[in-house]
Amino acid sequence: MDNEKWIQICILSTLTLGTIFLLRKQKEHERIVLMTPRKSILNLPRRMASLDLLEHKSIMSDQDMGLLAPKLLMTSPNKIFTNPMLGSGLKDDVNSGQCFMPESIFSRIGGYINANSAFSNDFLQGKSVYLVKGCPRKEIVMHPSEVKACIVTCGGLCPGLNVVIREIFMSLYYNYGVKEIYGIKDGYKGFYTSGSILKLEVSRVIDIHTKGGTILRSSRGGWDKEKITHSIMSHGFNQIFIIGGDGTHRGIASLVNELGNKGHFAAVVGVPKTIDNDIPIIDKSFGFDTAVEEAQRAIDSADVEANSVEFGVGLVKLMGRNSGFIALHSAIANRNVNLCLIPESEYELGGPNGVYSFIANRLTSKGHAVVVVAEGAATGCRDENLKNAGKDASKNPILYDIGKHLKDGIVKYCKTEGIDVTLKYIDPTYMIRSVAANSSDRKLCTMLAQAAVHGAFAGFTGFSVGTVASQIVYVPVELMTSINEGKGANPGQRKVDVDNNMMWWRLMASTGQPSFKSIA
Ligand SMILES: Nc1ncnc2c1ncn2[C@@H]1O[C@H](COP(=O)(O)OP(=O)(O)OP(=O)(O)O)[C@@H](O)[C@H]1O
Ligand SMILES: O=P(O)(O)OC[C@H]1O[C@](O)(CO)[C@@H](O)[C@@H]1O
């Protein structure tokens, strides 16, 4: 071989080796990038069992994988072949992977988090976050015969509460074979109030999904960490399902720590409930769709009233203490609303560019106006001193009645402008909150409830269930209660971002209302 050939071979070999080296480095890098966030999030929904306990309980070996579902359903063998947990769609989640968390259980929401600067929690800034999918696992850490479960509902009512109660019960009872299932009456205080713990049976829950409210009743206040922990331990509850809003979830975070400190082995699981849809991270909370749907009837009535007289105004007040999602979405859905005010929207009532003037102009130009106001909208009002009336038992503000204030104010203003206004005021707030869930919410409640039960059996605690990017996932309660989403939101809260959120612009496009904020 001549010299030239040698040189060519040397160059080619160096290039090939260099490329292999670089590709390897790149692979390593990719691996690091992929693994880091997953590892960090994995630690968040804390595994409650020690390794010993896990081994002692029911770790399935790889050979057992095909038998997992029958084993899981050991206590109800006649249901094995009809149980939906054996469906082919779930087979991968149940059976795939070599370790406890197979690759397929991760739902990647990195884009969702990174793209949204409204997430202002340091933990999430600029990081991809992986959440664990809510589905049955190939391993369970408690044998169904050892489970003593309880269910409690806290805070305000919301369509779907009874569906969640029913489906948690049904999944425990039929899918896993748990027989010791209790209902705690009256929210957190029911844990330590005499006569408030009742055994649930199929007959007690079988038809409750068609009814509004909660068969367990609910309450505000009554949080007493010591008494609640003592009750959980003395009754031996080891799966605790707590359905409630942001306040309730702060309670869950605290309970998890307390039970952990006291060495009590229990899964404490949250199901986020808020008609206001103001819980961060999750796509939406159950009951919200029903509320928006039910609100249509009130807005339609307001529209009929407003259009059936000369200078008619139909004014509807909807719920939304700190966040105006119900009012916003209901107004967009209805298409006949001319003005919508929410807590996040800044506005003034009087003056040439204020709300009263806008309504008066509409009356003189179009003859009628339909107005939707969120009950917490006094917060956004710049020119009046509208004070809340103290706090409720859970330390939530008792809101200034902005609906009534607007009703009187609009009539007074129009009269002084020489407009003979007829205003009909509709307050359907509690009627909306108390209806039974519609079919889409029932479906959501069912999926959340089943996922909650699967998570408890998988050995997680301190997590809540929700849909993120349409996937049912487990969200660590600590994360849920510490993230704030939207300008001015407190930790654990989501607000409508009127500056950056497309929904608010869509509303303005559909109502034709001005941005009262920009009119200084
Ligand atoms: N920071 C907290 N720590 C522990 N418990 C709390 C906390 N805040 C509220 N709670 C308790 O949680 C329960 C429900 O709280 P709250 O009445 O605020 O309703 P919520 O869960 O926020 O739901 P809603 O959306 O209906 O207001 C009450 O029993 C309350 O005492
Ligand atoms: O049940 P209460 O105490 O009347 O509270 C009403 C509040 O509860 C909610 O329905 C849910 O937080 C709010 O929209 C409303 O402000």
Coordinates of all heavy atoms in Angstrom, one line a residue, residues 155-157 220 246 273-276 278 318-322 326 375 392 396-397 399 430 433, ligand 2:
G155 N -65.8 21.5 51.6 CA -66.0 22.7 50.9 C -67.4 22.9 50.3 O -68.3 22.2 50.7
G156 N -67.5 23.7 49.3 CA -68.8 24.0 48.7 C -69.3 22.8 47.8 O -68.5 21.9 47.4
L157 N -70.6 22.9 47.4 CA -71.1 21.8 46.5 C -70.6 22.0 45.1 O -70.1 23.0 44.7 CB -72.6 21.8 46.5 CG -73.3 21.5 47.8 CD1 -74.8 21.5 47.6 CD2 -72.8 20.2 48.4
R220 N -67.7 23.7 55.6 CA -66.5 24.6 55.6 C -66.0 24.6 57.1 O -66.7 24.3 58.0 CB -66.9 26.0 55.2 CG -67.4 26.0 53.7 CD -67.2 27.3 53.1 NE -67.8 27.4 51.7 CZ -67.2 27.0 50.6 NH1 -65.9 26.6 50.7 NH2 -67.8 27.1 49.5
D246 N -59.2 23.9 46.8 CA -57.8 24.3 47.2 C -57.6 24.2 48.7 O -56.6 23.7 49.2 CB -57.5 25.7 46.6 CG -58.5 26.8 47.1 OD1 -59.6 26.4 47.3 OD2 -58.1 27.9 47.2
K273 N -62.0 19.2 43.5 CA -63.4 19.6 43.3 C -63.6 21.1 43.4 O -63.2 21.7 44.4 CB -64.3 18.9 44.4 CG -65.7 19.4 44.4 CD -66.2 20.2 45.6 CE -65.3 21.0 46.3 NZ -65.8 22.2 46.9
T274 N -64.0 21.8 42.4 CA -64.3 23.2 42.5 C -65.1 23.6 41.3 O -64.7 23.4 40.2 CB -63.0 24.1 42.5 OG1 -63.4 25.4 42.1 CG2 -62.0 23.6 41.6
I275 N -66.3 24.1 41.6 CA -67.2 24.5 40.5 C -66.5 25.7 39.8 O -66.7 26.0 38.6 CB -68.6 24.9 41.0 CG1 -69.5 24.8 39.8 CG2 -68.6 26.2 41.7 CD1 -71.0 24.9 40.3
D276 N -65.6 26.5 40.5 CA -65.0 27.7 39.9 C -63.9 27.3 38.9 O -63.4 28.2 38.2 CB -64.4 28.5 41.0 CG -65.4 29.1 41.9 OD1 -66.6 29.0 41.6 OD2 -65.1 29.7 43.0
D278 N -60.9 26.7 39.5 CA -59.7 27.5 39.8 C -58.5 26.7 40.4 O -57.7 27.3 41.1 CB -60.1 28.6 40.7 CG -60.7 28.1 42.1 OD1 -60.9 26.9 42.2 OD2 -61.0 29.0 42.9
L318 N -73.3 34.8 38.3 CA -72.8 33.4 38.3 C -71.7 33.3 39.4 O -71.1 34.3 39.8 CB -72.3 33.0 36.9 CG -73.3 33.1 35.8 CD1 -72.6 32.7 34.5 CD2 -74.5 32.1 36.0
M319 N -71.4 32.1 39.7 CA -70.4 31.9 40.8 C -69.0 32.2 40.2 O -68.8 32.2 39.0 CB -70.5 30.5 41.4 CG -71.6 30.4 42.4 SD -71.5 28.9 43.4 CE -72.7 29.3 44.7
G320 N -68.1 32.3 41.1 CA -66.7 32.6 40.8 C -66.1 33.6 41.8 O -66.2 34.8 41.6
R321 N -65.6 33.0 42.9 CA -65.2 33.8 44.0 C -63.9 34.7 43.6 O -64.0 35.9 43.7 CB -64.8 32.9 45.2 CG -64.8 33.7 46.5 CD -64.2 33.0 47.6 NE -64.3 31.5 47.6 CZ -65.0 30.8 48.5 NH1 -65.7 31.4 49.4 NH2 -64.9 29.5 48.4
N322 N -62.9 34.0 43.2 CA -61.6 34.7 42.8 C -61.3 34.6 41.4 O -60.5 35.3 40.8 CB -60.4 34.1 43.6 CG -60.6 34.2 45.1 OD1 -60.8 35.2 45.6 ND2 -60.5 33.0 45.8
I326 N -66.4 30.5 35.2 CA -67.8 30.1 34.8 C -68.5 31.2 34.0 O -69.1 31.0 33.0 CB -68.7 29.8 36.1 CG1 -68.1 28.7 36.9 CG2 -70.1 29.5 35.7 CD1 -68.8 28.3 38.2
E375 N -69.7 36.5 40.7 CA -70.0 37.0 42.1 C -68.8 37.7 42.7 O -69.0 38.5 43.6 CB -70.5 35.9 43.0 CG -69.4 34.8 43.1 CD -69.7 33.7 44.0 OE1 -70.7 33.7 44.7 OE2 -69.0 32.7 44.0
D392 N -65.6 33.4 56.0 CA -66.4 32.3 56.4 C -65.6 31.3 57.3 O -64.5 31.6 57.6 CB -67.0 31.6 55.2 CG -66.0 30.8 54.3 OD1 -64.8 30.6 54.8 OD2 -66.3 30.4 53.2
N396 N -62.5 31.9 53.9 CA -62.7 32.5 52.6 C -63.5 33.8 52.8 O -64.3 33.9 53.6 CB -63.6 31.5 51.7 CG -62.9 30.2 51.5 OD1 -61.8 30.1 51.0 ND2 -63.6 29.1 51.9
P397 N -63.2 34.8 51.9 CA -64.0 36.0 52.0 C -65.4 35.9 51.7 O -65.8 35.1 50.8 CB -63.3 36.9 50.9 CG -62.7 36.0 50.0 CD -62.3 34.8 50.8
L399 N -68.3 37.5 50.1 CA -68.2 38.5 49.0 C -69.2 39.7 49.1 O -70.3 39.5 49.5 CB -68.3 37.8 47.6 CG -67.3 36.7 47.3 CD1 -67.7 36.0 46.0 CD2 -65.9 37.3 47.2
Y430 N -76.9 29.1 43.3 CA -77.0 27.9 44.1 C -77.8 26.8 43.3 O -77.6 25.6 43.5 CB -77.6 28.1 45.5 CG -76.6 28.8 46.4 CD1 -76.7 30.2 46.6 CD2 -75.5 28.1 46.9 CE1 -75.8 30.8 47.4 CE2 -74.6 28.8 47.7 CZ -74.7 30.1 47.9 OH -73.8 30.8 48.7
R433 N -75.2 25.2 41.1 CA -74.2 24.4 41.9 C -74.8 23.0 42.3 O -74.1 22.1 42.6 CB -73.7 25.2 43.1 CG -72.4 24.8 43.6 CD -72.0 25.7 44.7 NE -72.7 25.6 45.9 CZ -72.2 26.0 47.1 NH1 -71.1 26.7 47.1 NH2 -72.9 25.9 48.2
Ligands
LIG2 O1 -71.1 27.4 49.9 P1 -70.9 28.8 50.2 O2 -70.2 29.0 51.5 O3 -72.1 29.6 50.1 O4 -69.8 29.4 49.2 C1 -70.1 29.8 47.9 C2 -68.7 29.7 47.2 O5 -68.4 28.4 46.9 C3 -68.1 28.3 45.6 O6 -69.2 27.7 45.0 C4 -66.9 27.3 45.4 O7 -65.8 27.8 46.1 C5 -67.8 29.7 45.1 O8 -68.1 29.9 43.7 C6 -68.7 30.5 45.9 O9 -68.2 31.8 46.1

